[in-house]
Amino acid sequence: MADEFDPEKFEDKYAHYFPELQRAYKNAFNQMNERYDSELIHGIDQMVLNESEPMYEDGEFRVELPENPRERLQGVLVDDEKFEATLEEYVDRIETELYRTLGVDAPE
C-alpha cells in the first residue's frame, strides 16, 4: 500500500498507485459478485468498467464511465433498470474501496 496518498501523484495514477487501484476494483468486484448475478457482474466488469477511469478531484474519488455503458453490455439479458441500479452500486463500491485502499478519508 502507498505510504501516504498524494493527490498530485494520482494524476499519474497508473505509475504510482496501480496495485492499489487493482485491489480496489478487485475488492468491489468480489463484493458485488457475492450479492448479484455473476454473469451480470462479470459483464459489467469486462465490458464497462474495463474502460472506466478512477479520478480524484476536489478531495473526492469518482469513477468516470465510458460513453453508453448500457450499449457496451453484450450477451447479458437484463432490463435497463436493473443494469443501471447494479452499475450504480458497483461504482459506489469501487469509490468506497478507493478511499479505503488508498487510506483517504471519505468526505462527509
Side-chain angles (χ1 to χ4, degrees):
M1 188 155 108
D3 292 333
E4 187 172 320
F5 179 74
D6 182 341
E8 288 184 20
K9 284 184 176 180
F10 201 75
E11 291 176 20
D12 192 11
K13 60 189 147 271
Y14 299 112
H16 297 284
Y17 294 107
F18 189 70
E20 292 86 353
L21 295 172
Q22 282 187 311
R23 190 173 323 112
Y25 272 71
K26 182 176 171 54
N27 290 347
F29 172 83
N30 289 338
Q31 292 169 28
M32 292 298 292
N33 201 40
E34 289 174 4
R35 296 188 59 210
Y36 294 95
D37 172 49
S38 65
E39 184 178 20
L40 175 57
I41 297 306
H42 280 270
I44 290 173
D45 182 64
Q46 295 297 309
M47 294 177 234
V48 178
L49 295 175
N50 66 330
E51 295 290 327
S52 69
E53 190 68 35
M55 309 294 282
Y56 187 78
E57 296 173 339
D58 301 322
E60 293 185 18
F61 286 108
R62 67 180 176 79
V63 174
E64 191 172 281
L65 296 174
E67 286 188 36
N68 306 312
R70 180 64 179 103
E71 293 173 15
R72 292 172 164 273
L73 187 67
Q74 302 293 317
V76 180
L77 296 176
V78 62
D79 64 58
D80 290 346
E81 188 175 312
K82 182 174 181 175
F83 170 78
E84 291 296 331
T86 305
L87 179 60
E88 183 177 325
E89 183 175 343
Y90 202 156
V91 168
D92 287 346
R93 286 184 185 264
I94 292 169
E95 291 167 352
T96 298
E97 285 298 318
L98 287 168
Y99 287 106
R100 191 181 70 72
T101 304
L102 291 164
V104 176
D105 291 333
E108 299 201 14

